[in-house]
Amino acid sequence: GAPAGRVTMAKATTQRIAARYQILPVNDMSGGIDLRSVPTAMAANKASALINFSLESPGALWVRPGYTKFSTASLGTARFQGGQRVYLSSYTLTLLAYAGQVYTQPDAGSTVSSVYSSVSPTNQVYFPYDRDLVAVFDGANRPRKSTNGSLWRWLGIDASTGTAPTVSSRASGGLAIAEFEFGFTYKDRGLAWESNISAKSTITTGSTGAIEVSIPNSSDVQADAFVVYARNKTASEGVLRKASSGPLSSTNGSTASNSTIRITSSAWTSNDEAPTDHDVPVAMTFGVVWKNRWWGVSATKGNRIHFTQLFQPQAWGFAIDIPFERGDTITAIQPQGDTLIVFGQTPKIFIIVGQTSLDFEVRPAAAAQAGALGPRAVVALEQGVVHAAAEGVYLFDGAHDRQLTFDIDPGWTDLIANGAPADVARVAMMYHVPRKELRIAVPRLYPSGAAGEWVLDLDRTRRQQAPAWVSTDRAIGGYISWDGNETTVGNRGRMFSWTDTSGLLFEEAVGTSANSSALTAQYTGPALGTGLHRARFVDVVGEYEPHSGAFSIESLVDGVSQGVRSVTIGAGLAVYGTAVYGTGVYAGSGRKFYTTPLPLDAEGRTVVVKHTYTGTERFKEFTYGVGLVPESDVLGFSD
């Protein structure tokens, strides 16, 4: 016997070859999916299929939480082009892009409101933001910005580069006789932002001592003021400095008349130089905010990243060309501490290192193993960045690129080989912190070929020191995480998704149903074998928690189905602590045992058991086993 205080555990592959009834047990069903191993070599806690199950509780296989419709009504039958939870200093809002329009989604889930309509109707749409501004990038149009999610204006203000101010001499002033040069900028007083300086005009004053500057009004509706800059060329002033300012005589895009101002002194109002680096942005496909600057990927030159002046999100005067090889383009960018990680399709990863907000260095990452499929196929995860690539899913920590998909490689290879390139480029990823799950929405899930998710349980991965994967049948097009400064209790940590086929928003990991319908969860275990000995497989036994719903078992002996058998799982029975009689609460049964016989001709060397639950509760199964009677000797002839 075992020494006192020690418990000996049976393994699933242990059997005694004797002609009497035995049980091959699976004591833990929650080790995750293994698609690489043949069923007979698979670890006992692994499975070849885990659909809509959760690994959150080692030792028990739970049906994962459900999902529910969040939108009041669908916008149509197409998928959303993008979505983002945005946290501004005074506003928290959810933005959605659908069919060429930007919508705001109220937190209560009520009807969405269209707030902007000049977005590409086909491209993917992204919403980078900082504390003050949110912008919309669609890869086709110049970005727009908003400070509240409702009013949208161009990101940056166009300068009047083709039209100089009209200058003329006037009386009653203190200007000395000299040659002066004038230019102007347009200004948005609400954001205290100016355009670049216009073309310049010069004039030599006479004895009148004043100059009138006439400024054409702007066609940009956000420009409501002007600033005049000047220099005394006779006095050898080298730069134009702020001379005066005023409101535009016509705003909201009207150019009906000019605005005028009179300059009577060369004691300029400030030392502010005329801006020359307030360039407006070009069309960009996606972007991020990092190191107090905005960064956006060019829509026309695939290896170019544009970025702004320090603390000036509307001054797009800089760019970096990433030295990719083999014609590669930027597919994703991800900030991580002092580095901005730049991904292409190929395994070459580049890192932009920023020791400060002023100095940047571009370096190749020597340890990189793969790139990224698209902008939504990367996510920061603890001390690294997870990126989904054609080669698999990897965790990059700056020094190493560790593959996470060995166990599901056949499924990932099937996705890359057979998925439509446009769909594969839209693979989306989200790390759900409350459940410690990395969720990856794919357009093709192995082996069904339909859309679904691969889900990596980080807690189970940590416990067993190996990735633990499950899958779902959710057809998801993208995710939105409420992970910022939520002022409403209970909002932080909520996760939402949009589907591939409708303009609806769903909340994930809530409730126990598939949007009020029954949820179906499937498990296919390892092949329990008797080696060279044939056996008569007698029954399947197991332990479960009572729940309503339908539960069935299908056994495959040497690959041949023995039929599907329904198992009563205690619908109507009380779970521990819930049985009520009168006013008292009595103990119910927290764990129940089932057994289901197999046909008399269920004979062979291996058996695989499939478990299917359909219902609206979080059914839980703890363990199962297969009863058998093996032959005592190996057959002496071929069968």
Side-chain angles (χ1 to χ4, degrees), residues 567-591:
V567 177
T568 300
I569 55 174
L573 296 182
V575 179
Y576 179 79
T578 64
V580 179
Y581 182 78
T583 59
V585 177
Y586 292 81
S589 178
R591 297 167 77 113

Side-chain angles (χ1 to χ4, degrees), residues 543-547 569 575 590-592 618-620 622:
E543 194 175 18
Y544 66 97
E545 183 179 81
H547 281 277
I569 55 174
V575 179
R591 297 167 77 113
K592 295 282 287 183
R618 296 202 65 193
F619 172 70
K620 184 190 300 184
F622 302 101

Side-chain angles (χ1 to χ4, degrees), residues 42 52 55 74 125 171 195 264-265 301 378 399 409 430 512 527 529 638:
M42 193 182 298
N52 293 331
L55 308 181
S74 175
V125 176
S195 69
T264 60
S265 172
K301 189 169 184 178
V378 298
D409 257 351
M430 178 63 69
T512 58
S638 299

